[in-house]
Amino acid sequence: MLDAALKTQLKTYLERLQQPIELVASLDDGPKSAEVRELLREIGELSALITVREDGADARRPSFSVGPAHNGGKPARIRFAGMPLGHEFTSLVLALLQSGGHPPKVDAATIEQIQSIPGNHRFETYISLSCHNCPDVVQALNLMAVLNPGIENVMIDGALFQEEVETRRIMAVPAVLLNGEDFGQGRMTLEEIVAKLVAMTDSGAAERAAERIDAKEAFDVLVVGGGPAGAAAAIYAARKGIRTGLVAERFGGQVLDTLAIENLISVPHTEGPKLAAALEQHVKEYEVDIMNLQRAAALIPAEADGLHRVRLDSGATLQARSVVLATGARWREMDVPGEQQYKARGVCFCPHCDGPLFRGKRVAVIGGGNSGVEAAIDLAGVVSHVTLLEFDTRLRADAVLQAKLTSLPNVSVITNAQTTEVTGDGEKVNGIVYKDRSGGDSHRIELEGIFVQIGLLPNTHWLQGTLALSPRGEIEVDARGQTSVPGVFAAGDATTSPYKQIIIAMGDGAKASLGAFDHLIRSSVPASAVNSAVPA
């Protein structure tokens, strides 16, 4: 089951166990149960502190629980329904270590916040083993279960428990249920989950948090956005010794949703979540006031007092002598009837994450660029049939990808097709309607899933009417990152800067930050920067 190298590595990790743990399996006579039995046997042989039993009573089989061996007869609060391999193997290792008393790498304030959450909270997390966004959610909820006796979590492999997925209409992962009700869908960090659960159990928490933000003194540079451009801007500003703040809806931005990154110079290979964590850690090495999980709602340009203001959705307002906008971009949607109604009910944006949920079914991919053709190729190995719809008269993907696509027997390509409607039965997708742009005729394709891969849309809707935007909604910037509003700069995918790449966004962020600093020293030197500027 586990190769020799992996066993050796796991054995080394398990030496960190500080107390006995117990793995309790619920199995049947099927082949998957046999695999789980073998996995647990091999793990049990790697440490004298691990006991394996097969007398579990969980209705989901195969499944097993992980918990302290001496727990006063109370059931374990972490369970895995299925085989936690692939991307989820790290989730299993962390569950073993944390249940065995190994301290988590989480700050004391977050641990205290988790431990103080009242009530009983039973989480069910549906995943696929190819989903790169799922492990963060599973690991966050497992950690919360370790720290708080009122919280439990079970990871459920959607591809293995297909009947349950169908019954509960789970059509995108990760999907999280709390006490049987929808809690969240898509990638969520520990910070996001804790904040949401705290808000559900403490009605005044959000208001108190907004009051704390509202009371902050004005920044010299306020960065709006936590992706590569925002992180670079914050670092460059902080290195100048000026008061720097960073406010972001989700630190890491769209990088968190990126699978493989192989073109970041000097880093041959990494993954989005790993890079996002590295960006955040780098920013935290400087005196940057990070305000995460805060969405910007409006920019109010400076008036007589020389302070720009950024109003947040929470109602709080931040003030700054200069601003760097780095709000990035999001998946572009089709904007057709039925799309919003059936989002996460058959309309998906991540083929790697959600593809396994459509095993043996019919799907469509919208978009004939590299991302669309790559999605169709990946899905063809899982689903029964893929129909790729492209608006243009020809595909725009690289030739090598097109050659691979046309070699697949279960893929159809329709060009010059304008998607006009997503249809469904009220609960989930059952078809897509498109118009033949050459003849004008409409056609409907019966299917169960739609994967949208038509590019990105800048996150600038909140800036309309405040500064100059291009016809595509991108922030217009000059060579220094300056926008049409003096003292307001911008960087990254939200701007007119060409070629939306991580490395370009980083450079843009540094440039905009330097531009902001230059603006400050040429207009009025900020008090916090007097005699404190350091070289970049």
Side-chain angles (χ1 to χ4, degrees), residues 125-127 131-138 140-141 170-177 183-190 192-193 196 250 256-257 331 343-345 349-350 353-354 357:
T125 308
Y126 289 87
I127 61 97
C131 170
H132 62 285
N133 289 325
C134 296
D136 284 346
V137 178
V138 173
L141 290 169
I170 305 295
M171 303 188 75
V173 292
V176 181
L177 276 62
F183 176 80
Q185 191 273 324
R187 189 184 187 279
M188 293 179 283
T189 64
L190 175 64
E192 289 175 290
I193 295 171
K196 187 169 184 176
R250 186 176 66 149
L256 291 168
D257 302 322
W331 292 115
K343 190 179 289 185
R345 291 289 182 266
F349 296 85
C350 180
C353 300
D354 303 331
L357 300 179

Side-chain angles (χ1 to χ4, degrees), residues 121-124 141 151-154 176-178 183 197:
H121 309 282
R122 180 174 57 84
F123 288 97
E124 297 168 284
L141 290 169
I151 297 175
E152 61 180 273
N153 180 52
V154 54
V176 181
L177 276 62
L178 171 58
F183 176 80
L197 191 55

